[in-house]
Amino acid sequence: MCGIAGFWKPFGNKLGDQADQQLNGMLRSQEHRGPDGKGTYFNRDLGLALGHARLTIIDLNTGAQPLHNPNKTLSLVVNGEIYNYKHIRSKLMTEGYEFSTKSDSEIIMPLYKKHGLDFMQYLRGEFAFSLFDHEKQTLALARDRFGIRPLFYYNSGKNLYFGSEVKVLLAHPDVPKKLSRRATLNQLMHTMVPGTTAFEGIHAIKPGHMLIVKPNGTKLDIQEKSYWDLNFPKQNERDGSLSSEHFIDQVREKLVDAVTYRLEADVPVGCYLSGGIDSCCILGMASGAMQSPVKAFTIAFDNTDYDESQIAKEMAASVGADQDIIHLTGEELYGTNFIRTAYHAERTFYNTLGVAKWCMSKHVREAEYKTVITGEGSDELFGGYPAFKRDMFLHGISHEDASTRAELQEALARSNKLFQGAILSENPESHPAFEELCGFTPSWIQSWLATLKIARPLLSDPCLAELNDTQYDPIYAITSQIDPKKISGRHPLDIAQYTWSKTMLEGQILNWGGDRVDMANSMESRPAFLDHHVAELAVRVPPSMRVKGNIEKWVLREAMKGVLPEVLYKREKFAFMAPPAHTDYKKKNRVQLLIDHYLSSESINDCGMLDSSRVHQFLKDYQSDKDPTSLVRKDALLNHLLSLHIVHRHLIVGEKLPEN
C-alpha cells in the first residue's frame, strides 16, 4: 500500500529543476500513505515525472519504486496489492522473464508486454497504477474493479497530473484550487456523480477503468476504457436448475479463497470486527486459516442504540481471537478528529462513522499493525442493506403475494426506525431520471432526494444562478453515468444493487469509510468480499437466495453458518452508524464548537457555496426540531455542511490543521 504521484508534460521544454521540487511537494502531501520510503523518476526529455511514497507490507527490502523493466522501456508506480502475484510470477519466470524485486507490483510490466492492455484481467486484488510505455509514448492509468484504491487526475489539455489523493494534485502549482458548484450540490444530497470529485476539473478514474493517454498534435488524447463491471444476468438468462446447496458451497469456497489471499503479507494482518455478520464471517475464516489467534479490532460507542461491541465480543470469544476494543464518545467523534477525517476524505460525509474509522485506524497503527481485513462489500453483493430489502418487497415479489409484501415492509420499517431519514426514507420519493433508467426509483436514493429538497435552497445566489442557467439536475447527472445495458432486463434487486455499487460504494463506503481514513494513519484495509471472483459468483446467485423472505444475505448466512454464533446467524442487518449529534447533550456541545468555527458568516461567505443567512436559519430550525426522523436527516446535512467548509478551509485556503 502506497501513494503515487506524477505528471506528464510532453509539449514544450525539457523538465527543469522545478520539476523535482514539484514532484517532491506532491509526495510530501501524501506522506501518510507511504512513510517508509520515497522514490522518484524523471525523463526530462519526455517531460515525465513519476513519484512513489511507500508503506512496506510485501517485499520489505527490495520493493522500492518507481519500477522499470530490464531494458527500461517501461516505467511503473503502483498503489495497492496484487494477491495472485506468486502464481503469475512463477509462470512468467518459466517463460524466461527475470525479476529484480520480490514485489507483487513488478508482474504488471511483463503481463503488459505479453498481453497488451488486456492484461488487467489477470490481476487479482485492489490497486491503482501508472504505467508509461517509452516506445509507444503512452501513459496508462488504471484502477481496480471496485475502486478500493483511489486515483485522480487533472488534464490541462497539454499536461496531465495524477495522484492517489486530490491533495497530491493540489500540491502542484499548475493545478487550480477551486471547489465545484455542481459537486457541492451532489455532496449535500450525499450522492456524487461517478468519476467526479469535489474540485473543479479534477476527476476520479472510475472503478474498473483505465485511461490511455497519448500526445495528439499539440494536445493530449485521453481514451477511457472499461475493462470490468458487475454483470448481473438478465432474468430470462438465469439457470434455474442450480440448487441453493450449489450456491452455498460456491460462496463458501470463493470467500475462503479470498480471505486466504488477503492474509498474504510480510507484516502481521489483523481484522476489523463489528457486530455484523460481514466482519464476523471474515474473522471466522481468517481464524481458520491462521496458526495463531487473530487480532480483532472493535469500535464501541457510548450509545447502546448504536453499539454492537457486545455481539462482537461473543464472536471474538467463539474463535479465540485477541480482541482490542476502542471506546469512542462525542469528544472523539466531534472535534479535531472530525476535521482530520474531512481533510483526508476530501469530500463531505453524512455520519461520523468515518471519524470512528479514522480513530480506529490510528489505534490499529499504534498497536503496530499495518494491515487488516474488513467486511465491506458484503451488503453490495449479497443484498444486505435495508433499502435493497424494501425494493425486493416492493418490486421483486409477485402481486399475488401482496399481503406478504405488506407484512415484510412493516417489519422492515419497525426494525430500521432508528435510521429513517438517512438510510431509509419515511415517505416514497421518486425522480424521472431513475424511473427512466430503472423503471422505479431505488430506495437507497429516496432519502437523499428528500435531503436535496432542504439542501438546494441553502446554496448561495451565484451558485444557484449557475446551476439554474445550465439546468443542472444532480440526479440526471448521476444516472447519465450508469450504463443502461447493465440495467435492462434485470431483476429489481439486481438493479438496486448495481446502481448503489456504481455510486455509493466507491463514493462513500470505500472513501471516507475505507481507504482514505485508514491510509490517513498509514494503515491498509483489505475488503475480502470485493474480490472479483466472489463478485462474479454473487451476481449469479438468484435474488430469492440473496433476500429470502425477511432474511437478507441468506446465502451468505448459510455458507458461514459454521463460524457464526447463533445470535449473529439469526440477526437482522443493523447499519453501522455512529450516534448522531442530536442524541445527547455532550455531542451537541461538541458539534456546536465546529459550527461556531466553520459555519460562521465569514467562513460561509469566504467559501461562497452557501448563503449564510439561509444556513443559519437551517441551524436554528435544527436546534429546535423534536422529530426523530427529521433530526436524523438534518444531522446528516449538518455533517455535510461542516465538512464542506473544512475541505475549503484546509485544502483550498491552505489553513493548517489543528493540533491533536
Side-chain angles (χ1 to χ4, degrees), residues 44 66 104 143 156 216 247 282 386 434 459 630:
R44 298 185 188 277
D104 58 309
R143 196 173 178 200
S156 71
N216 183 8
F247 287 108
I282 296 296
F434 273 105
L459 296 176
S630 176

Side-chain angles (χ1 to χ4, degrees), residues 531-547:
D531 185 288
H532 75 279
H533 292 267
V534 176
E536 288 169 357
L537 168 64
V539 297
R540 298 197 304 271
V541 175
S544 61
M545 294 183 196
R546 280 174 266 145
V547 177

Side-chain angles (χ1 to χ4, degrees), residues 617-628:
Q617 184 60 51
F618 163 80
L619 293 172
K620 184 178 179 181
D621 294 341
Y622 163 75
Q623 289 161 351
S624 62
D625 201 338
K626 303 298 181 184
D627 179 74

Side-chain angles (χ1 to χ4, degrees), residues 41 126 161 164 197 208 224 257 334 363 391 428 489 504 540 549 578 609:
Y41 167 76
E126 47 260 11
Y161 309 81
S164 293
T197 72
E224 183 182 60
D257 202 26
Y334 294 96
H363 180 78
D391 287 337
M504 306 297 264
R540 298 197 304 271
M609 292 293 164

Side-chain angles (χ1 to χ4, degrees), residues 91-111:
K91 188 171 185 295
L92 288 167
M93 288 182 71
T94 66
E95 297 170 4
Y97 189 87
E98 296 181 2
F99 289 86
S100 60
T101 75
K102 297 290 185 181
S103 166
D104 58 309
S105 300
E106 193 177 356
I107 64 167
I108 287 174
M109 292 182 289
L111 283 177

Side-chain angles (χ1 to χ4, degrees), residues 30 219 330:
Q30 59 177 337
K219 290 188 176 182

